Amino acid sequence: MFSGKSIARLEDARFLTGRGRYVADMIPADALHAVVLRSPHAHATLGEINAEAARAMSGVVGVFTSAELAADDLAPLPCTAEVASVAPMVVPPRPVLATDRVRHLGEAVALIIASSAAAARDAAEAIEVLYDPLPAVIDGASALGAEAPQIWPQAPGNEAFRFLKGDRAATDAAFAQADHVISLDLFNNRVHAVPIEPRAALAHFDGGRFELIFTGMGVHGIRRQLATVFRLPDDAFHLICPDVGGGFGAKNFLFPEYVLALWAARRLQRSIAWQAEPSEEFAAAVHGRDLRARARLALADDGRFLGLEISSIADMGAYLSAVGPHCPTNAFSTAMGGVYAIPAMHLEVRGAFTNSLPVDAYRGAGKPEANYIIERLVDAAARSLGRDAAALLAMNMLQNAPHRTAMGMAVDGGRFAANLSVLEKVSDAAGFSARREQAAQRGMLLGRGMACFLETARGAPGEWATVSVDASGQARAAIGTQSNGQGHETSYAQIVADRLGLTPAEVRIQQADTDLLPNGNGHGGARSLHLGGGALVLALDALMEKARIIAAHLLQADPTELIFADGRFALPEGERFVTLAEIARAAEDTASLPEGMTPGLSASGHNTSDLATFPNGCQAAEVEIDPETGHARLTRYVAVDDYGRLVNPRLTQGQVQGGLVQGIGQAMLEDIIYDRESGQLLTGSLMDYALPRADDVPAIEVILEGTPTTANPLGVKGSGQAGAIAAPQTVMNAIADALALRGATAPDMPATPEKIWRALQNAASPGKELTP
């Protein structure tokens, strides 16, 4: 058996020896290169575009604006999210190139095609554009204010939607009978995914069919959106993703540049390559999070949670990105309340248009924001009421499974209180007071934070897979999910190898090609092993049933008598058998098959499940603060998590650790900041946007203690997003604990040295608050 073992990643040999193939490795020598001219303004009327000088420059093949695109009647980029808004959700048209107005810094204004990227960039600098700047608003709360500039005429007050969910009356009643109410205003800061490989695309048009090779996280969904934009059937597009250098949600969407590359390939009958510059990724790709919430938790005198109320403002940016509205509404609500049994909950979300880059899914997509709010409230409740935090968590945790939350989610189980108990031991909670005293002797403030998380992992429901065995006995599996570095080529191969009696090295995994499968939902929502693995099991079941029938035909035996082991079907006495390779060879010959059977040893599986899995865990952090400078240092981090049955524990560890570092980065370092007056991006490169580095993070301890789920045949729960869901509140609770030693309250994320220092100064001098 290979499943359950930490075998080394099969794909790493390719990556470590420079044999990975990314879009940039596939650009033919005769391809033309695209560059996009972008708006330098956050909000402006778009006037004359003079490109005559640019068109005359050496190497330039063409310069195109929205006027040229209009002739081909391209539809706006679609927003595919469905949100039950009080009034109909406002979805303004998002053009591929700006028409009469630009609404955020970096919006695409013109397309330049040249013989080289350098020539195209030079030509872009020669284009003269007349802009008439308009007032900008870049904060969601300000955008909903009465005096804010109007961004879209069809969205009065800049409101995109107003979403309500939960039982308002029951929640009001819970607060009416509460002995204690804890209230917090919290901000989940805007961040950028910063994948190591920027977006890129290679477009071809041949024989009336488009081909797009791009850096994505799924192909079939993007194909459907392209078909909408070009007003063509799906099969007019062939989409492929080669190796992809990270995604974290940000590569899951259709971008204007992909449409432009395809449009230019058709118009010019040439291959078109486009590669984003890192600065373009910050200004013109997509951002994540940006949710401002007012939250209240109702408690009885004995500490029981009675009700939870959240009213939030979600900054959507200038346009509604593909699934952007889904994240703070539908997705958020599935994880609202976290691991706690809260009988009454109510959620209100107002989506706001601002003059900023659109916001969409980023690792966790709504679930991090929901978990952050409840865990910060619980931590504040323990501190305010003088209760032991671990005891308060334990008494309110989900106990019986399945449990249906007040938001309607049926949680099928988890090691909630059990993992909390393990965490207390392995993180040495008993020894914390001694460590705090040691830090105090050095003039430092040491805080301990503890928090839990509950993810609702699924993403899009349903998945597709095919499996085949060739004449050599090796297997090939094509699957509708997609790896962006998670190790799918290894974990899927382990599953196939176990079922077929092979080694993982004898299994080839294929993905991200619309010609391989009729459909597929790609990556996103920690769904791959849950739904993709389920589809793979169905395909394997069908393949093995076909193989059994062929084996019985060849052996002239009853199929029910055959035993499969070690890659062969044998009769009980063991002397007569046929190997899988022999069956595959026979399957190519119609004469060797039972009457009416389709040739080839292959089968498909369509997993129609819409069930979610519920990864969960309890985590602890210790943070040391220098009160003189505000510098905070994360000194310890321990996670005790439940991801069900593990196919490859080492890969799970890596996924969780990577997510934790991203969550730590959001809590302490990362922040997308726009100038409030001009809308200019102030953190538009890695010179200003602080990613966590090795010396920012201690050795992270991850203990995997899980219970299998019944939501899929493998018993697995998604692990890809969990770390980013859990870490922000764990770190911020530790910072809050340290600051409480001086009577200070924790700032909003990221808790930078400046913010921490100001919080300490304000606590030391009440009435003389220091503001940035």
Side-chain angles (χ1 to χ4, degrees), residues 526-551:
R527 65 186 301 278
S528 293
L529 276 185
H530 166 40
L531 293 174
L536 194 56
V537 167
L538 291 173
L540 286 165
D541 286 346
L543 181 137
M544 291 302 285
E545 180 60 25
K546 183 175 184 179
R548 178 179 293 276
I549 294 171
I550 298 173

Side-chain angles (χ1 to χ4, degrees), residues 38-59:
R38 304 187 182 280
S39 169
H41 299 281
H43 199 193
T45 300
L46 182 60
E48 181 184 359
I49 301 175
N50 186 343
E52 293 309 308
R55 291 189 175 100
M57 294 176 68
S58 175

Side-chain angles (χ1 to χ4, degrees), residues 370-628:
N371 278 273
Y372 181 75
I373 289 170
I374 184 59
E375 292 297 331
R376 292 300 312 281
L377 281 168
V378 173
D379 181 72
R383 186 170 296 109
S384 175
L385 303 179
R387 287 183 169 270
D388 176 76
L392 185 62
L393 269 61
M395 75 176 296
N396 284 287
M397 279 182 166
L398 301 175
Q399 301 293 331
N400 300 317
H403 173 89
R404 186 165 295 277
T405 72
M407 286 299 188
M409 298 301 295
V411 182
D412 67 351
R415 284 177 50 88
F416 306 116
N419 278 351
L420 178 61
S421 178
V422 173
L423 177 69
E424 287 285 273
K425 294 174 183 176
V426 297
S427 65
D428 188 21
F432 174 69
S433 59
R435 293 192 294 277
R436 171 174 272 181
E437 178 58 31
Q438 291 168 2
Q441 292 174 6
R442 292 182 282 108
M444 300 295 174
L445 308 175
L446 184 67
R448 172 181 164 85
M450 185 167 52
C452 301
F453 78 94
L454 177 73
E455 184 185 359
T456 51
R458 188 198 69 185
E463 197 48 80
W464 289 257
T466 63
V467 182
S468 62
V469 178
D470 64 23
S472 70
Q474 297 198 344
R476 178 184 69 87
I479 197 153
T481 65
Q482 186 187 338
S483 174
N484 288 185
Q486 295 87 350
H488 291 177
E489 291 178 43
T490 302
S491 53
Y492 283 139
Q494 289 176 266
I495 296 167
V496 175
D498 280 346
R499 191 64 188 277
L500 301 184
L502 305 174
T503 66
E506 295 175 293
V507 180
R508 183 187 176 198
I509 303 299
Q510 295 179 296
Q511 60 171 7
D513 185 331
T514 54
D515 283 358
L516 284 176
L517 290 166
N519 210 337
N521 284 320
H523 178 68
R527 65 186 301 278
S528 293
L529 276 185
H530 166 40
L531 293 174
L536 194 56
V537 167
L538 291 173
L540 286 165
D541 286 346
L543 181 137
M544 291 302 285
E545 180 60 25
K546 183 175 184 179
R548 178 179 293 276
I549 294 171
I550 298 173
H553 182 73
L554 296 174
L555 295 170
Q556 297 184 342
D558 184 340
T560 61
E561 294 181 354
L562 298 181
I563 300 169
F564 183 79
D566 301 323
R568 64 187 193 180
F569 283 96
L571 286 164
E573 73 275 6
E575 295 181 0
R576 297 175 60 211
F577 63 85
V578 61
T579 67
L580 208 56
E582 290 169 335
I583 296 171
R585 288 194 290 272
E588 298 301 323
D589 180 10
T590 305
S592 299
L593 295 175
E595 186 176 350
M597 181 173 282
T598 303
L601 186 53
S602 62
S604 300
H606 177 201
N607 182 3
T608 60
S609 173
D610 63 353
L611 299 176
T613 67
F614 297 90
N616 62 90
C618 303
Q619 305 187 357
E622 293 183 12
V623 174
E624 185 178 272
I625 292 174
D626 182 344
E628 297 299 318

Side-chain angles (χ1 to χ4, degrees), residues 84-435:
S85 180
V86 173
M89 183 169 72
V90 178
V91 185
R94 186 181 182 185
V96 178
L97 289 175
T99 54
D100 59 334
R101 184 179 291 198
V102 291
R103 290 178 170 85
H104 69 84
L105 177 79
E107 185 166 0
V109 171
L111 172 69
I112 303 94
I113 304 293
S115 58
S116 70
R121 283 193 291 269
D122 288 343
E125 294 182 1
I127 298 174
E128 298 178 354
V129 182
L130 182 62
Y131 296 99
D132 185 9
L134 298 169
V137 58
I138 55 90
D139 169 77
S142 299
L144 296 176
E147 303 301 319
Q150 185 72 29
I151 298 172
W152 291 101
Q154 59 268 57
N158 296 319
E159 185 173 273
F161 56 82
R162 182 168 173 255
F163 175 86
L164 301 175
K165 189 171 184 179
D167 191 327
R168 173 82 271 176
T171 305
D172 288 344
F175 278 89
Q177 69 181 29
D179 297 301
H180 307 281
V181 174
I182 302 299
S183 299
L184 288 177
D185 289 333
L186 297 168
F187 180 53
N188 217 283
N189 46 316
R190 181 181 282 232
V191 292
H192 176 41
V194 201
I196 193 169
E197 179 197 23
R199 291 170 301 145
L202 176 61
H204 309 283
F205 184 77
D206 184 29
R209 194 179 192 215
F210 291 100
E211 181 180 83
L212 179 67
I213 303 170
F214 69 110
T215 55
M217 295 172 62
V219 289
H220 290 86
I222 300 297
R223 181 176 69 169
R224 287 190 291 271
Q225 294 177 51
L226 281 169
T228 298
V229 172
F230 280 90
R231 306 181 195 276
L232 293 171
D234 288 3
D235 60 9
F237 300 87
H238 178 204
L239 270 63
I240 302 169
C241 289
D243 291 323
V244 176
F248 314 116
K251 292 180 179 176
N252 230 340
F253 317 113
L254 176 61
F255 291 99
E257 296 86 357
Y258 301 164
V259 176
L260 291 170
L262 290 168
W263 178 85
R266 182 175 65 179
R267 183 180 179 102
L268 301 174
Q269 296 295 302
R270 295 281 298 277
S271 296
I272 305 294
W274 172 77
Q275 299 176 82
E277 297 289 332
S279 60
E280 286 183 286
E281 295 298 82
F282 279 93
V286 69
H287 292 157
R289 310 288 194 253
D290 205 335
L291 184 86
R292 193 172 298 277
R294 174 158 292 175
R296 299 197 304 154
L297 178 65
L299 300 91
D301 205 39
D302 63 0
R304 287 180 298 109
F305 300 161
L306 304 177
L308 174 63
E309 179 188 56
I310 299 174
S311 178
S312 65
I313 295 172
D315 189 334
M316 292 286 94
Y319 300 94
L320 296 186
S321 185
V323 297
H326 172 77
C327 301
T329 55
N330 302 318
F332 181 107
S333 69
T334 65
M336 186 170 166
V339 300
Y340 307 106
I342 305 176
M345 293 192 285
H346 188 265
L347 172 66
E348 177 185 22
V349 188
R350 297 177 70 196
F353 289 114
T354 63
N355 295 115
S356 63
L357 187 64
V359 170
D360 214 311
Y362 169 65
R363 203 168 189 171
K367 288 73 169 285
E369 296 92 317
N371 278 273
Y372 181 75
I373 289 170
I374 184 59
E375 292 297 331
R376 292 300 312 281
L377 281 168
V378 173
D379 181 72
R383 186 170 296 109
S384 175
L385 303 179
R387 287 183 169 270
D388 176 76
L392 185 62
L393 269 61
M395 75 176 296
N396 284 287
M397 279 182 166
L398 301 175
Q399 301 293 331
N400 300 317
H403 173 89
R404 186 165 295 277
T405 72
M407 286 299 188
M409 298 301 295
V411 182
D412 67 351
R415 284 177 50 88
F416 306 116
N419 278 351
L420 178 61
S421 178
V422 173
L423 177 69
E424 287 285 273
K425 294 174 183 176
V426 297
S427 65
D428 188 21
F432 174 69
S433 59
R435 293 192 294 277

